[in-house]
């Protein structure tokens, strides 16, 4: 019997598991790294234990430390969440050996499905359709290159261990294959301790559709509908929904039947997901099995009314599945959007920093659920995944769900660092998404083609007027904005991103400001009706229409949120900053993270655009390239070293032009 549960994870999934455990009356233990000492999951649990420094390899990935925390607190069960050790057969075995209940499948099942090549071989035996690829044990680079050329392109180089897009590279032609193998192997070795690779022919214009399966120790197994996870960038899921807009009842039954067949073939027990790639003719092929709870499990919960974590706890306690296949019913449509602290308009570069504003409770209307693991005033560090929250909505149909998700993204802004909320909003409103014709590579193609939804939003002219009026109020120090009558008008120089404007503001009657877009242009009356500091909502009147916008002061920065895009206004000097440009002689770290590769040394000649070194942060490898030709004077970074954003890593003596 389970008495006390240790959650061997962090962030939103740790909070989510703790809530269900508490609902069922279980006491919980949180674990945390030094970087997570103030994280929400720590205070949400009944007990908490620090397990090491910030890097995951020194804390969340140390199974022996987690088991020691169980002994220290008396926890007799571990819920691994997802990621970290959730699909580590060795850890599941260590739990079994220590007499600790692992809330997940057996070590044997994890081991079979954790080897993606071996898993495909098992599925071939079971009669489940699979995509063509190379699953051989010979990992010699020459063999992999030869097999890749035989399979043809586009081709996926994949780590046989792990998931989440790590250790995976997309190859389009021969020239890319050798480097992709080296890069994928290195990342896989670093992330999973196993650099073994497999090759898989990419299904062109494919869709990623997965089936939620559940099995118990009594021989029962069911499937709970499908999830469409086709909207991805760099093989990382962005939007998930259920049901899929392309799956018919007959196709659902066939995929579900094969998913249950796959689970039973390996004597599976617990929550699992069978992932398929679906081609243009709606033929489906087994990709892999995730032997854990998926990030996107809430969409299944929303349409089924079931608590999948509760099912996990009951099955782990030896109970049979709560429902049979015939008793499972699905209703409506659910969509989940992953909120990442990354900048979609700068190549999805990961972002770190302080969270200045996060109050999701203001968006929790009927049919809305927000799972998060952050709090206002906390820090997003470079050590973990950039996903900080999930916004999940349920509607009567797909259009209902899309409309509700757009409203939720508008009403739950995250302020203080860049994120992908506006991109998510534009994505679910894009004609391709609405038509249900996304593919797994479409977002990456859009990035190459410069699709408008990947262009940074600019602040509308009306928002500049409001920003000027609110800066005037802020200057004057009180909500009414009253000012000495002797002051007729004054200029307020504002900056928003790279855009700078000087607006002239003149106080009118009552709460009205006359704002001139330029000092010589006609004035536009703008009336500030109210500004609630607790909610951030500002109501103003412009051209006879009252409008509402989120307006939050973070120090001297004014954050205005328009359709999920955050526009940050600062009052700046009218004099230009002579040193604002980037110095090409100084190679600065693009992000905070870990140095993965250094490709140059002192004395090397470099040309413009040449890669110099890479930084790994939040599941991504970011490259620092030369901005101009020159000779490397000094290199201040070594592989494995932790560096901060903007840290000086390389000095270059620029080549003088003739």
């Amino acid at each position: 019997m389970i008495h006390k549960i240790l959650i061997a994870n962090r962030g939103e999934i740790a909070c989510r598991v703790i809530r269900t455990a508490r609902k069922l009356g279980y006491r919980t233990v949180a674990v945390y790294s030094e970087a997570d000492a103030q994280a929400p999951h720590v205070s949400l649990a009944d007990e908490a234990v620090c397990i090491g420094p910030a890097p995951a390899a020194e804390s969340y990935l140390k199974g022996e430390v987690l088991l020691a925390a169980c002994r220290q607190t008396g926890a007799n069960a571990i819920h691994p969440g997802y990621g970290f050790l959730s699909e580590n057969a060795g850890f599941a075995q260590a739990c079994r050996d220590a007499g600790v209940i692992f809330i997940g499948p057996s070590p044997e099942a994890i081991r079979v499905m954790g080897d993606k090549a071996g898993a495909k071989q098992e599925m071939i035996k079971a009669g489940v359709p699979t995509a063509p690829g190379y699953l051989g044990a010979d990992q010699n680079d020459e063999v992999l290159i030869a097999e890749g050329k035989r399979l043809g392109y586009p081709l996926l180089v994949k780590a046989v261990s792990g998931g989440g897009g790590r250790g995976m590279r997309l190859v389009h032609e021969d020239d890319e294959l050798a480097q992709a193998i080296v890069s994928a192997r290195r990342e896989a070795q670093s992330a999973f301790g196993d650099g073994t690779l497999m090759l898989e022919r990419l299904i062109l214009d494919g869709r990623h559709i997965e089936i939620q399966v559940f099995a118990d120790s009594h021989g029962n197994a069911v499937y709970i509908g499908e999830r469409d996870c086709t909207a991805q960038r760099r093989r990382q899921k962005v939007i998930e929904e259920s049901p899929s807009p392309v799956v018919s009842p007959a196709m659902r039954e066939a995929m579900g039947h094969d998913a249950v067949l796959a689970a039973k073939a390996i004597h599976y027990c617990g929550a699992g997901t069978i992932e398929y790639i679906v081609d243009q003719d709606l033929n489906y092929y087994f990709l892999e099995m995730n032997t854990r709870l998926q990030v996107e499990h809430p969409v299944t919960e929303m349409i089924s009314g079931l608590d999948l974590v509760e099912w996990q706890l009951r099955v782990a306690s030896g109970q049979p599945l709560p429902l049979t296949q015939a008793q499972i019913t699905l209703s409506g449509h659910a969509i989940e959007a992953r909120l990442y602290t990354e900048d979609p308009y700068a190549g999805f570069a990961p972002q770190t920093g302080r969270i200045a504003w996060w109050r999701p409770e203001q968006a929790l209307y009927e049919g809305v659920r927000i799972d998060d693991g952050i709090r206002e005033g906390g820090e997003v560090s470079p050590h973990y995944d950039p996903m900080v929250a999930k916004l999940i909505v349920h509607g009567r149909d797909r259009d209902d769900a899309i409309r509700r998700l757009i409203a939720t993204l508008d009403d739950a802004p995250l302020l203080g660092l860049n994120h992908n909320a506006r991109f998510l909003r534009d994505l679910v409103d894009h004609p391709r998404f609405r038509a249900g014709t996304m593919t797994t590579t479409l977002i990456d193609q859009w990035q190459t083609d410069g699709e408008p939804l990947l262009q940074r939003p600019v602040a509308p002219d009306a928002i500049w007027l409001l920003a000027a009026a609110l800066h005037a109020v802020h200057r004057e120090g009180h909500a009414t904005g009253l000012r000495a009558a002797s002051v007729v008008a004054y200029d307020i120089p504002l900056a928003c991103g790279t855009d700078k404007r000087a607006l002239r503001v003149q106080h009118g009657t009552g709460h009205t400001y006359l704002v001139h877009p330029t000092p010589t242009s006609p004035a536009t009356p703008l009336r500030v009706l109210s500004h609630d500091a607790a909610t951030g909502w500002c109501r103003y009147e412009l051209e006879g229409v009252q409008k509402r916008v989120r307006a939050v002061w973070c120090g001297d920065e004014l954050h205005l949120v328009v359709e999920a895009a955050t526009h940050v206004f600062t009052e700046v000097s009218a004099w230009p900053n002579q040193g604002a440009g980037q110095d090409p002689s100084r190679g600065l770290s693009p992000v905070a993270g870990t140095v993965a590769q250094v490709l140059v040394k002192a004395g090397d000649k470099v040309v413009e655009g040449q890669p110099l070194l890479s930084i790994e942060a939040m599941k991504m490898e970011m490259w620092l390239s030369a901005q101009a030709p020159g000779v490397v004077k000094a290199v201040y970074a070594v592989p494995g070293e932790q560096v901060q954003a903007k840290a000086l890593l390389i000095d270059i003596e620029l080549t003088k032009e003739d």
Side-chain angles (χ1 to χ4, degrees):
M1 296 292 294
I2 295 175
H3 303 296
K4 185 187 291 187
I5 303 170
L6 183 143
I7 294 85
N9 218 294
R10 64 179 299 280
E12 63 86 15
I13 188 58
C15 295
R16 188 261 174 278
V17 172
I18 290 169
R19 291 189 181 99
T20 287
R22 175 166 294 173
K23 180 181 73 173
L24 297 179
Y26 292 112
R27 294 301 179 189
T28 57
V29 179
V31 294
Y32 62 95
S33 70
E34 292 171 357
D36 280 338
Q38 303 303 317
H41 75 280
V42 176
S43 57
L44 195 60
D46 297 298
E47 301 173 67
V49 178
C50 182
I51 54 171
E58 301 177 38
S59 51
Y60 296 104
L61 288 172
K62 298 192 72 171
E64 67 278 12
V65 176
L66 296 168
L67 289 172
C70 284
R71 293 190 294 270
Q72 185 178 355
T73 59
N76 73 326
I78 282 181
H79 193 300
Y82 53 73
F84 294 137
L85 295 174
S86 62
E87 295 181 282
N88 187 299
F91 179 60
Q93 183 65 53
C95 289
R96 176 190 284 175
D97 295 343
V100 174
I101 298 170
F102 182 78
I103 302 174
S106 68
E108 293 80 12
I110 296 175
R111 192 169 289 112
V112 169
M113 286 303 190
D115 181 337
K116 290 180 173 55
K120 289 187 71 172
Q121 291 168 342
E122 288 294 324
M123 293 304 99
I124 292 171
K125 292 178 186 177
V128 179
T130 63
Y134 172 70
L135 312 174
D138 192 335
Q139 292 288 297
N140 185 281
D141 282 13
E142 287 73 19
V143 172
L144 291 172
I145 290 171
E147 289 293 332
K149 292 180 178 180
R150 179 184 63 82
L151 287 167
Y153 305 99
L155 181 74
L156 287 176
V157 179
K158 301 173 66 174
V160 300
S161 301
R166 306 207 74 180
M168 185 183 298
R169 297 293 184 271
L170 175 60
V171 180
H172 294 281
E173 55 189 29
D174 284 347
D175 291 346
E176 301 173 359
L177 184 55
Q179 179 58 35
I181 290 170
V182 172
S183 179
R185 181 183 286 122
R186 182 185 62 253
E187 187 176 57
Q189 185 66 46
S190 172
F192 315 120
D194 181 1
T196 308
L197 302 175
M198 60 180 281
L199 306 178
E200 185 173 85
R201 180 65 187 269
L202 179 68
I203 303 297
L204 287 173
D205 299 324
R207 299 187 69 93
H208 182 124
I209 299 176
E210 59 191 31
I211 299 288
Q212 175 70 62
V213 293
F214 238 103
D216 61 25
S217 57
H218 303 276
N220 304 306
V222 298
Y223 68 92
I224 313 174
E226 83 281 2
R227 296 184 290 257
D228 195 316
C229 310
T230 301
Q232 302 180 11
R233 56 104 186 127
R234 295 176 182 166
R235 321 307 300 173
Q236 182 71 45
K237 298 168 187 174
V238 176
I239 297 283
E240 302 98 351
E241 60 181 315
S242 185
S244 167
V246 302
V247 173
S248 66
M251 183 177 174
R252 180 177 302 115
E253 184 177 356
M255 296 176 76
H257 173 271
D258 281 348
V260 169
L261 190 66
K264 287 187 173 182
I266 60 168
H267 308 290
Y268 196 79
C269 183
T273 298
I274 301 296
E275 299 195 345
Y276 296 109
I277 188 71
V278 179
D279 67 19
Q280 290 179 303
D281 297 321
L282 299 185
N283 300 305
Y284 60 89
Y285 305 93
F286 172 85
L287 278 181
E288 63 185 16
M289 183 180 192
N290 291 131
T291 55
R292 53 170 166 81
L293 199 66
Q294 290 280 82
V295 174
E296 57 271 21
H297 77 274
V299 295
T300 297
E301 294 183 323
M302 295 291 261
I303 66 165
S304 67
L306 305 175
D307 184 331
L308 298 188
V309 173
E310 179 179 342
W311 276 41
Q312 283 188 294
L313 300 184
R314 294 193 183 283
V315 167
S317 298
Q319 300 177 28
L321 294 178
L323 298 175
T324 65
Q325 190 67 62
Q327 293 172 318
I328 295 172
T329 59
L330 308 177
S331 175
H333 198 98
I335 305 178
E336 173 182 290
R338 300 189 184 192
L339 187 65
Y340 288 108
T341 52
E342 60 186 18
D343 190 346
Y345 315 111
F348 294 94
Q351 307 291 299
T352 60
R354 181 177 176 274
I355 299 167
W357 176 281
W358 175 245
R359 303 182 187 183
E361 65 278 1
Q362 296 177 2
L364 294 180
Y365 297 100
E366 182 180 353
V368 176
R369 165 179 164 181
I370 298 178
D371 289 5
D372 68 350
I374 56 175
R375 63 160 56 111
E376 196 171 296
E379 291 281 334
V380 175
S381 81
H383 300 289
Y384 313 115
D385 192 280
M387 190 191 76
V388 294
K390 303 182 304 196
L391 286 67
I392 313 106
V393 298
H394 182 261
R396 181 185 62 181
D397 54 29
R398 193 167 185 262
D399 286 342
D400 271 358
I402 290 174
R403 183 172 58 252
R404 189 163 284 166
L405 179 56
I406 288 173
T408 303
L409 287 164
D410 289 347
D411 293 344
L414 171 64
L415 307 181
L417 63 171
N418 290 330
H419 52 78
N420 68 335
R422 175 56 181 265
F423 165 73
L424 293 170
R425 187 189 197 278
D426 290 341
L427 176 58
V428 298
D429 200 30
H430 193 280
R432 289 292 299 268
F433 185 89
R434 283 192 175 271
T437 59
M438 296 290 295
T439 68
T440 56
T441 58
L442 185 58
I443 294 176
D444 295 331
Q445 186 61 50
W446 282 344
Q447 188 173 0
T448 300
D449 296 344
E451 181 75 8
L453 91 167
L454 283 167
Q455 305 302 309
R456 192 178 301 279
V458 297
D461 290 342
I463 293 302
W464 281 89
L465 301 179
L466 176 61
L470 292 177
H471 270 83
V473 173
H474 194 59
R475 272 187 178 188
E476 294 159 9
H478 48 80
T480 62
L482 295 177
R483 189 176 178 87
S486 59
V487 178
V488 177
Y490 51 95
D491 293 341
I492 298 183
L494 295 179
C496 180
T498 58
D499 195 0
K500 294 181 180 180
R501 303 185 191 181
L503 297 94
R504 178 157 293 179
V505 178
Q506 180 179 353
H507 192 76
T509 59
H511 305 291
T512 300
Y513 288 87
L514 301 176
V515 184
H516 304 255
T518 66
T520 59
S521 61
T524 300
L526 187 147
R527 188 179 179 204
V528 180
L529 301 173
S530 64
H531 188 190
D532 186 346
T535 64
W537 285 119
C538 173
R539 185 170 288 275
Y540 67 101
E541 184 177 297
L542 181 65
E543 297 179 345
V545 179
Q546 290 189 14
K547 301 176 181 289
R548 189 176 74 156
V549 68
R550 190 86 67 172
V552 178
W553 283 99
C554 300
D556 292 330
E557 294 182 341
L558 174 62
H559 295 241
L560 294 175
V561 184
V562 181
E563 296 181 339
T566 302
H567 304 289
V568 181
F569 291 87
T570 55
E571 189 172 349
V572 295
S573 168
W575 300 102
N577 182 357
Q578 298 296 327
Q582 181 179 343
D583 183 352
S585 70
R586 293 163 56 84
L588 307 181
S589 176
V591 294
T594 303
V595 178
Q597 293 185 83
V598 178
L599 303 183
V600 295
K601 62 184 183 300
D604 287 353
K605 293 182 179 180
V606 296
V607 297
E608 184 176 354
Q610 179 179 336
L612 304 176
L613 56 77
S614 65
I615 306 293
E616 184 179 291
M618 294 179 168
K619 289 189 175 183
M620 289 183 63
E621 199 171 55
M622 308 295 294
W623 282 92
L624 173 64
S625 300
Q627 301 302 305
V631 177
V632 177
K633 291 171 56 180
V635 177
Y636 306 112
V638 294
E641 180 185 9
Q642 295 285 324
V643 295
Q644 296 300 313
K646 305 301 181 184
L648 177 62
L649 304 181
I650 293 179
D651 268 327
I652 297 175
E653 184 176 350
L654 302 181
T655 302
K656 295 181 180 180
E657 296 183 2
D658 294 333

